[in-house]
Amino acid sequence: MLADEQFMDRFFSKAEQEYCNSQSSHGEHYAARFAAKEAVVKAFSGFGIRIRLWDVEVVLDQLGVPRARVCDVLDNVDHEIKISISHSERESVGFAVVCMEESV
């Protein structure tokens, strides 16, 4: 396995890889998703919750809106993640807001 393939398999799910590879500018789509993953990780760190980049998956909902989900790690934590991603030929940006249910 090539180093690039190892990187892709470590940081992107099969669904993310299939989506990005189906786009004409696949590098831009990978970069945007990576930026969104970083934003989600940093947003959760504000609550003292440590997740890793490969725990986050960026998917499109039925309307084509990007959504982030954290795989397995937060099954017992009530949370909502809102993301925004954008990219151009040379730049990508990801923004995330995490809302946590307050404990009573």
Side-chain angles (χ1 to χ4, degrees):
M1 184 180 285
L2 299 174
D4 289 347
E5 291 173 345
Q6 289 176 330
F7 176 85
M8 296 304 213
D9 288 343
R10 181 171 186 180
F11 290 104
F12 297 99
S13 69
K14 293 295 180 200
E16 289 171 313
Q17 290 180 47
E18 287 173 10
Y19 171 77
C20 291
N21 290 336
S22 73
Q23 304 302 305
S24 61
S25 54
H26 60 270
E28 294 173 24
H29 289 269
Y30 276 113
R33 273 151 184 72
F34 194 88
K37 289 171 181 266
E38 278 192 305
V40 170
V41 168
K42 289 176 183 177
F44 274 107
S45 73
F47 292 101
I49 298 172
R50 184 174 180 262
I51 59 174
R52 299 163 301 193
L53 287 171
W54 51 85
D55 294 326
V56 181
E57 183 179 33
V58 177
V59 296
L60 300 178
D61 68 11
Q62 304 88 338
L63 300 175
V65 176
R67 303 281 183 214
R69 62 178 169 219
V70 179
C71 305
D72 301 327
V73 179
L74 298 174
D75 288 344
N76 299 323
V77 178
D78 193 12
H79 66 281
E80 181 180 7
I81 307 168
K82 298 286 188 182
I83 64 170
S84 178
I85 59 178
S86 185
H87 57 84
S88 66
E89 189 175 307
R90 304 188 89 177
E91 299 171 336
S92 295
V93 64
F95 182 79
V97 174
V98 172
C99 299
M100 302 286 285
E101 185 67 33
E102 249 185 81
S103 299
V104 183

